[in-house]
């Protein structure tokens, strides 16, 4: 079972470059989330989606955009990367009925130089 | 979302029972208590969830007193592979809720 798959696993960007992180889940979950995790800190919610075609801001949304065109995919975009966005990014999904039980991907390690 | 407080780190030895306590004094009536485990370079993994009293699964037990202002995750007979960060979450995530906070967790180190 694939679960939640994130691509790429690693990426290095220069300041000002753009990129898109892809998250795919094969569990038919309604809810999907993007988090970032910085050294020594817990996860912080960037954006989330409660269903296809809908997105909402989380705790730290600035500098990021998201799209949920298909139920199984949730994309996180950085239009103009900044060094402050160097982090590990995790995608997660959950069923509507058990929102607190989230399934996470393996993460994307992003460095912005 | 109810604020949670848990120890920053704990040390144990293989074969011992480990109890990690989380305080959540402002827990609301509809809040569930959920614990996650995170290994280095991996995403968090759901361990256990409960509302009141005791819940047990193949991995851990969760003890919740009657007032629900705290909870204790119990890991029986830990092994080296249980070395990880453990997060306590309290709350119900709904469409209007924007701050699902994992906190910094408890770093458990299991030694031989």
């Amino acid at each position: 079972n694939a679960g939640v798959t994130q691509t790429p696993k690693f990426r290095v960007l220069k300041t000002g470059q753009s990129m898109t992180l892809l998250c795919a889940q094969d569990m038919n979950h309604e809810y999907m989330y993007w988090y970032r995790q910085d050294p020594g800190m817990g996860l912080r919610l960037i954006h989330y989606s409660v269903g296809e075609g809908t997105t909402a801001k989380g705790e730290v949304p600035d500098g990021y955009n998201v799209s949920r065109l298909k139920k199984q995919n949730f994309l996180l975009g950085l239009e103009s990367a900044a060094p402050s966005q160097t982090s590990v990014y995790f995608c997660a999904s959950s069923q509507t009925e058990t929102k607190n039980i989230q399934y996470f991907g393996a993460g994307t390690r992003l460095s912005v130089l | 979302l109810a604020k949670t407080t848990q120890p920053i780190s704990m040390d144990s030895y293989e074969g011992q029972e480990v109890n990690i306590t989380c305080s959540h004094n402002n827990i609301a009536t509809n809040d569930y208590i959920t614990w996650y485990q995170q290994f280095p370079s991996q995403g968090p993994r759901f361990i256990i969830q409960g509302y009141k009293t005791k819940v047990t699964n193949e991995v851990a037990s969760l003890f919740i007193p009657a007032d629900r202002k705290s909870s204790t995750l119990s890991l029986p007979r830990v092994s080296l592979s249980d070395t990880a960060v453990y997060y306590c979450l309290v709350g119900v995530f709904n469409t209007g809720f924007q701050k699902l906070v994992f906190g910094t967790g408890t770093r458990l180190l299991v030694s031989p």
Side-chain angles (χ1 to χ4, degrees), chain B residues 6-53:
Chain B
Q6 51 184 127
I8 294 174
S9 64
M10 295 181 68
D11 295 321
S12 183
Y13 293 98
E14 282 188 294
Q16 290 188 333
E17 178 184 72
V18 172
N19 296 310
I20 305 174
T21 297
C22 180
S23 297
H24 27 80
N25 292 321
N26 297 323
I27 189 169
T29 302
N30 294 331
D31 286 347
Y32 279 75
I33 301 160
T34 312
W35 285 80
Y36 283 81
Q37 173 191 57
Q38 185 179 24
F39 297 113
S41 302
Q42 293 187 27
R45 181 176 73 108
F46 167 80
I47 300 177
I48 197 167
Q49 182 180 70
Y51 183 78
K52 62 180 178 181
T53 64

Side-chain angles (χ1 to χ4, degrees), chain A residues 35-49:
Chain A
Y35 294 89
R36 61 176 288 173
Q37 185 172 37
D38 300 303
M41 299 182 67
L43 284 79
R44 291 184 291 173
L45 183 65
I46 304 172
H47 286 278
Y48 64 98
S49 169

